[in-house]
Amino acid sequence: MWAGQSLYRGLQDTMAKCRKAGRSQAPTVCEEVALLGQGYHFVAGLDEVGRGPLAGPVVAGVVILPPNPKGKWRRLIRDSKQLTHAQRERALSYLQEEALALEVGISSNEEVDEFGIVDATRTAMQRALNSLAILPQFLLLDAISLPRVSIPQKSIVHGDALCLSIAAASIVAKVARDRIMEEQDSLYPSYGFASHKGYATERHLRVLKAKGPCPIHRRSFAPVKDWEPIQ
């Protein structure tokens, strides 16, 4: 059996499983396989992490998986919010070995304040795309669009829970952002960024109210804008 025929049969089997399974608890490659059937060989999943925190950057991840990926490592790929820190790190190590390409893009807290969280998120995604060694032919995104990007694309609500490429991108973005916030914790140890990653936890709000915001806080976000900055 020649390689193309083997791949074709594998894709046909996957599509049959997709039709039978419908929406499973685990993300599938149904979207990717459908696009491969239309002639798109390099399909990229994109997702972001960090739209809600009071501090730090928004980080986007992009991943191009191989056609019809196989192996036990696929079971590790989930929406990053469903995984522990150790599980995300392990999943990332597999993605770095198995993915055709992956990258991250970052928009700083200053850019979030200047342009707004939606535009900053799109900028981070475009930066991730621009860093890829392979030019994607189609984009799968989690509930957002990139109007300034000419590549064909599809926005999927809850895409990180449904689509394997988007779930993989969410892991890449989450691990990258967590590492950034852990580094920032050493610069601003009073705020506890290593534990809450900039989200509005009770501890974070208590310190923020007592000390005011530090340089990586988002000044346009409430309640940060309600308190005076550090002098």
Side-chain angles (χ1 to χ4, degrees), residues 184-231:
Q184 293 300 316
D185 184 74
S186 64
L187 298 176
Y188 310 104
S190 300
Y191 293 90
F193 291 131
S195 61
H196 55 65
K197 308 301 188 292
Y199 285 88
T201 64
E202 182 179 349
R203 174 191 175 185
H204 188 187
L205 292 176
R206 185 170 62 251
V207 177
L208 181 59
K209 184 175 181 179
K211 296 180 67 67
C214 74
I216 68 166
H217 277 101
R218 300 173 180 178
R219 305 304 174 86
S220 60
F221 279 35
V224 178
K225 61 184 178 182
D226 298 329
W227 289 311
E228 291 295 323
I230 296 173
Q231 299 298 322

Side-chain angles (χ1 to χ4, degrees), residues 48-60 105-114 116-117 120-121 124 173 176-185 188 191 193-194 196-200 204 208 213-221 224:
E48 54 71 32
V49 172
R51 291 181 70 169
L54 305 180
V58 57
V59 177
I106 299 170
S107 286
S108 68
N109 57 291
E110 292 91 352
E111 290 175 310
V112 171
D113 288 336
E114 182 175 358
I117 188 60
T121 298
R177 189 178 189 279
D178 282 358
R179 290 175 180 177
I180 290 171
M181 296 308 293
E182 288 162 6
E183 292 172 359
Q184 293 300 316
D185 184 74
Y188 310 104
Y191 293 90
F193 291 131
H196 55 65
K197 308 301 188 292
Y199 285 88
H204 188 187
L208 181 59
C214 74
I216 68 166
H217 277 101
R218 300 173 180 178
R219 305 304 174 86
S220 60
F221 279 35
V224 178

